[in-house]
Amino acid sequence: MTPIEKAKQQVEQAKARYQALLARQSAEERKLDTRRKAILGGLLIDAAGKDERFGRIIDELRERITRDHDHKAFEGWQKPEPDRS
């Protein structure tokens, strides 16, 4: 293998490592974003069981759902109602 061929191979390997790092970083960012959404959603649902203001927010957000697939996730689900005692 000539020095030029060897250098070209090293460049290609470096590009592949770089692309793999970018893909890993992107996957980690998506995972963290999903975790944040789940945490916030859980907090909102919990808050709705304690304060009706948050229940109204859930109602408003559910009205914004446009995709049928997303609507199906809420079929039969009831938001928690605040304890009135």
Side-chain angles (χ1 to χ4, degrees):
M1 180 178 288
T2 69
I4 291 178
E5 291 170 335
K6 185 174 181 178
K8 183 177 180 180
Q9 181 183 28
Q10 290 172 338
V11 167
E12 294 302 321
Q13 289 171 344
K15 284 181 184 179
R17 285 192 305 274
Y18 173 72
Q19 290 299 324
L21 287 170
L22 287 178
R24 190 172 321 136
Q25 179 183 13
S26 179
E28 289 173 7
E29 289 172 359
R30 282 191 312 276
K31 183 178 177 180
L32 186 56
D33 184 56
T34 298
R35 184 161 190 256
R36 285 186 198 112
K37 290 174 184 176
I39 291 168
L40 286 173
L43 289 169
L44 178 60
I45 291 168
D46 183 62
K50 297 173 183 167
D51 186 329
E52 66 184 46
R53 294 176 303 160
F54 294 102
R56 288 192 301 270
I57 291 170
I58 289 175
D59 292 337
E60 290 178 29
L61 292 173
R62 287 180 67 184
E63 288 175 14
R64 293 182 181 202
I65 296 172
T66 58
R67 298 185 315 176
D68 288 337
H69 179 76
D70 294 337
H71 275 286
K72 288 180 183 180
F74 289 95
E75 286 180 3
W77 181 79
Q78 294 294 315
K79 72 178 183 227
E81 296 296 326
D83 186 13
R84 303 258 185 220
S85 42

